[in-house]
Amino acid sequence: MQPFNEHFDVVVVGAGHAGCEAAMASARMGLKTALYTLNVDLIAQMSCNPAIGGIAKGHLVREVDALGGIMGEITDAVGIQFRLLNTSRGPAVWSPRAQCDKQAYRLKMREVLESQPNLRIKQAEVADVILEREQHSALSTQHSADAEVTENREPGTENCIRGILLRDGRRVSAGAVIITTGTFLNGLIHCGEQQYPAGRSGEPNAVLLGESLKKLGLRGCRLKTGTPPRLDGRTIDWSKFAEQPGDADPTPFSFRTKRVAHHDSQVPCYIAFTTEETHRIIRENVHRSPMYSGQIQSIGPRYCPSIEDKIVKFPDKLTHQLFLEPEGLNTHEIYLNGMSTSLPIDVQLAILKSIPGLEDAEMMRPGYAIEYDSIDPTELHRTLETKKIAGLFLAGQINGTSGYEEAACQGIMAGINAALKVKAEPPLVLDRTEAYTAILIDDLISKGTNEPYRMFTSRAEFRLHLRIDNADRRLTPHGRRVGLISDEAWAEFQAKQQRLEIMRALLEKTRLTSEMLERISQSHEPAAHNTGDHETAVHETGGHDFSRAAKLPDSIAALAAAAPRPSRAEAQFEYVSNGTSEAVPSRSLLSTLGQPLAQLLKRPEIAIETLVPALREISSDFFTRSTSASSASSAVKISSQVRNELKSLETEIKYAGYLDQQQRAIDRLKKAEQRRIPDWFDYRAVSGLSREMQEKLGHVTPQTIGQASRIPGVTPAAVSLINVYIEIQAKRREQATTL
């Protein structure tokens, strides 16, 4: 056996978003970890949109942060625009998004990685994995004393990882290996009729490792993704576009961030639209797109289609929205979100000229599509360890997902479980009722995917329980148990939970008094102080005239119902202006005197900000973290940290009935998850189970009855049969052993 040149507990291959989280998790758990990448200058490169978060994706980042990951903290440090999305809907689907400085993100990530004890960053190409073949008898699973070391020979369930082989011939031993190669495995770029091998534009692909993984017997598939052109901002006529600013008071991604770095210096994005001429150009040239010429055979992301896909599949749509997004503070490069394409460069230039404001825009980089190899995720356990090779973990796009956030949540879970395996400790397996991360992993290993998987809030059965505000309550105890949450962060988490409990108790026992009502009304600043500025008053009340001559609504609910949808956020307070500088409490609030404040919050038309002046009187300690003075005149000007804690509390109170109902459904689902399917269970011996069903179940090998029920094509009747036959086969095995 050839000697190893270096020794590590855990080796991570690939330094994208999955690899960075995996390496940090392993190192923070005290294991000697190595992170291998083709180019250390491109660690955590944002190869597509330089943005983090978005619908459901923001939930994943919050969960990574709650477990002890770093994506949220990095984003808060380098984000240049922050927006909380979906606020016109319920809190279950609120999700943060941040436009990041592309260069600053990778530099900050590298700084954090290099400062982490136990972690070493290495620039080298990994060509192969080194396996050890373990000998098993029919009666024992103990390792053979003279295990044969082999490189990609006779793969199977008896194989376990020993390390990696570098292209230059060096051998690195490891107790566990995590592969997070993104789009680099046999990557092939397409731009019109041209195609060339690459992992990303300007970077080599990973051919040797791609071929080595095929030899391991892991089922694979070919996927495709794409990216839009980048423009020179100095050549854009910005006056032609609507501005999209960030939130005035940004919501951080990390629970440990008090204030985002660029809080007062956010940059705007801009909104553009395609035209009839744009669509004509694309229709006339769609035959030159590799997707439609037959040059690309693989499947792209359904929910992030190319511009040519949009025109072909939605011919009745006259315009499509585009977003002009800056790539950083120290560059003029602009990302044209919504125009992912693999059309030839001359067609891309023609498309740009057809869009008002981009007639003279210069393209700095063309858009392109890339095909790459991935592994069928049904080859994995819920720990993200491969079923056929012990100690080999996969995370990120190699598992068929899309997006930085989907990669990061897999990365931290793979890093945690690889470290726990090396430590010979029980794995961390999250339940799909407690995290979107668990839903993503469960979907992948149960159903597989034939297109890049993207997370949506609709994939969750109990999304009201899986909100961004309670991700720490759901997952931080797990992060603490495995060693990713520091003493300081844990103390802060416990203090927050204690604050929320105390405030909830106060809300439930404190009744609204006339004195409180007076403070509330006195502290409210009406929409328009200048009675002569009639247009301003009308605009700020959602387009409705509440001057002296206008009828005062009976309640804020009436105002909210009458106002246009975008203005409903303006109508959350339980008072209105009477056309002067005075604030008048509405009749519905007057009628609640003597009610507990918690009971008041159950009403949908009342927001907790309304009660802040009263709450300050009964719990001044809760507001000591506010950045503004605690005077009544600034009652609703509180820090984002305080505001977010209050909104979390409001959600728990307002939706208590729905949460209780969902909890009962969660308990029923957990019973199904607790019924395990033994490793020895034989689906072929289940009478009444079709051959198709036997093949699907044997292919996925679900670990629980609940997981079996989520496999596509497996009917409730089949699940019932399995439930019965677990008992039957168990009795037969017991009888066989007693003979």
Side-chain angles (χ1 to χ4, degrees), residues 81 96 101 168 176 185 217 240 242 311 481 491 516 556 565 629 652 681 696:
Q81 190 203 75
D101 186 309
D168 58 23
L185 292 183
K240 299 288 182 66
I311 303 306
R481 179 177 68 82
M516 290 181 183
I556 203 66
R565 187 172 184 84
E652 296 284 343
F681 188 76
K696 284 187 175 182

Side-chain angles (χ1 to χ4, degrees), residues 546 553-563 605:
F546 294 121
D554 288 337
S555 70
I556 203 66
L559 173 60
E605 72 272 16

Side-chain angles (χ1 to χ4, degrees), residues 190-195 280-296 306 308 312 341-351 367-369:
H190 299 265
C191 188
E193 296 84 358
Q194 295 183 340
Q195 56 179 299
R280 182 193 66 78
I281 293 169
I282 294 172
R283 283 194 297 267
E284 291 181 356
N285 291 277
V286 73
H287 64 282
R288 299 180 64 191
S289 168
M291 290 180 58
Y292 290 92
S293 67
Q295 186 173 306
I296 293 179
S306 65
E308 53 263 42
V312 171
T341 184
S342 59
L343 285 163
I345 294 177
D346 61 302
V347 179
Q348 294 186 37
L349 290 169
I351 291 172
Y368 64 86

Side-chain angles (χ1 to χ4, degrees), residues 636-654:
V636 295
K637 295 178 181 178
I638 54 178
S639 69
S640 60
Q641 184 188 10
V642 172
R643 183 194 69 231
N644 291 337
E645 289 186 18
L646 285 172
K647 294 302 290 185
S648 178
L649 190 60
E650 178 187 6
T651 300
E652 296 284 343
I653 293 171
K654 201 177 288 290

Side-chain angles (χ1 to χ4, degrees), residues 233-307:
R234 294 168 295 186
T235 62
I236 294 173
D237 183 356
W238 295 103
S239 66
K240 299 288 182 66
F241 307 110
E243 184 177 305
Q244 187 183 55
D247 293 341
D249 189 9
T251 298
F253 274 89
S254 176
F255 290 100
R256 296 174 289 279
T257 298
K258 302 298 183 289
R259 182 181 171 92
V260 301
H262 294 284
H263 183 284
D264 300 320
S265 57
Q266 296 186 74
V267 300
C269 297
Y270 294 84
I271 302 173
F273 293 92
T274 59
T275 64
E276 185 179 340
E277 176 67 7
T278 308
H279 296 200
R280 182 193 66 78
I281 293 169
I282 294 172
R283 283 194 297 267
E284 291 181 356
N285 291 277
V286 73
H287 64 282
R288 299 180 64 191
S289 168
M291 290 180 58
Y292 290 92
S293 67
Q295 186 173 306
I296 293 179
Q297 300 292 331
S298 51
I299 301 173
R302 179 190 304 269
Y303 303 104
C304 188
S306 65
I307 189 67

Side-chain angles (χ1 to χ4, degrees), residues 8 10 12 19-35 43 67-71 73-74 107-122 256 412 419 423 482-486:
F8 293 95
V10 176
V12 180
C20 291
E21 294 291 351
M24 281 295 291
S26 171
R28 281 181 170 176
M29 291 171 68
L31 298 184
K32 187 180 179 184
T33 306
L35 176 61
I43 288 173
L67 284 167
I70 54 176
M71 175 176 270
E73 292 177 294
I74 301 294
L107 292 176
K108 182 65 176 178
M109 183 67 78
R110 181 173 176 180
E111 176 190 335
V112 171
L113 292 173
E114 288 185 341
S115 64
Q116 176 60 44
N118 301 318
L119 178 58
R120 296 292 179 269
I121 300 173
K122 307 281 187 175
R256 296 174 289 279
I412 192 169
K423 290 182 171 184
V482 299
L484 292 183
I485 302 297
S486 66

Side-chain angles (χ1 to χ4, degrees), residues 67 108 139 205 310 434 444 520 553 656 733:
L67 284 167
K108 182 65 176 178
L139 300 177
N205 60 359
K310 294 177 186 178
E434 63 181 336
L444 289 174
I520 291 172
R733 285 174 60 87

